[in-house]
């Protein structure tokens, strides 16, 4: 059992920065990769960034060079540092975790989301 809670969202002007944090609780040792997704008003949820168990990172082209994802050694938190924010970054940001099941499969766990609003 894993629960995820996001924090750090807010209102910023274009060009500003925010740092999002995701706190995990429960069966922390069962978590593999963790990442961030976002959903803008009226649009589909989209991939933003992911960090694997081994520390490899991958980013969507739209945020590469501006966002950085990090993870602590205990797999208890994952952060997203967002710099040079643009109005098109406005969205609800969701934390995601890939969890290994008892039978060796995997399931996805989602947080509640945190709202990021970037004004022009």
């Amino acid at each position: 059992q894993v629960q995820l809670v996001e924090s750090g969202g807010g209102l910023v002007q274009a060009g500003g920065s925010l740092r999002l944090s995701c706190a995990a609780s429960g069966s922390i040792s069962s978590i593999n990769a963790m990442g961030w997704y976002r959903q803008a008003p009226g649009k589909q949820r989209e991939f933003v960034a992911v960090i694997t168990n081994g520390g490899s990172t991958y980013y969507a082209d739209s945020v590469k060079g501006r966002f950085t994802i990090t993870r602590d050694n205990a797999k208890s938190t994952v952060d997203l540092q967002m710099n040079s924010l643009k109005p098109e970054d406005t969205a609800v940001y969701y934390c995601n975790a890939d969890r290994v099941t008892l039978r060796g499969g995997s399931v996805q766990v989602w947080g509640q989301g945190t709202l990021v609003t970037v004004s022009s």
Side-chain angles (χ1 to χ4, degrees):
Q1 188 176 33
V2 173
Q3 297 82 40
L4 305 174
V5 179
E6 303 96 335
S7 63
L11 174 64
V12 298
Q13 293 186 344
S17 298
L18 281 176
R19 187 177 183 89
L20 305 183
S21 182
C22 174
S25 62
S27 301
I28 306 302
S29 62
S30 69
I31 297 175
N32 286 322
M34 297 187 68
W36 290 91
Y37 289 70
R38 67 186 182 186
Q39 187 168 18
K43 302 190 69 175
Q44 299 291 318
R45 187 173 300 185
E46 65 178 358
F47 167 78
V48 175
V50 66
I51 184 166
T52 69
N53 196 299
S56 298
T57 59
Y58 303 90
Y59 299 91
D61 289 341
S62 59
V63 306
K64 190 174 183 178
R66 300 187 297 121
F67 292 10
T68 303
I69 186 170
T70 57
R71 184 178 181 181
D72 75 349
N73 293 331
K75 303 179 182 179
S76 60
T77 62
V78 60
D79 289 358
L80 185 69
Q81 178 66 46
M82 305 185 295
N83 299 325
S84 302
L85 284 163
K86 306 174 181 179
E88 50 262 46
D89 294 319
T90 295
V92 176
Y93 284 71
Y94 296 91
C95 182
N96 169 265
D98 181 73
R99 183 178 66 84
V100 176
T101 68
L102 292 175
R103 296 186 60 83
S106 66
V107 297
Q108 301 299 312
V109 181
W110 296 91
Q112 64 193 16
T114 185
L115 177 62
V116 172
T117 303
V118 184
S119 64
S120 60

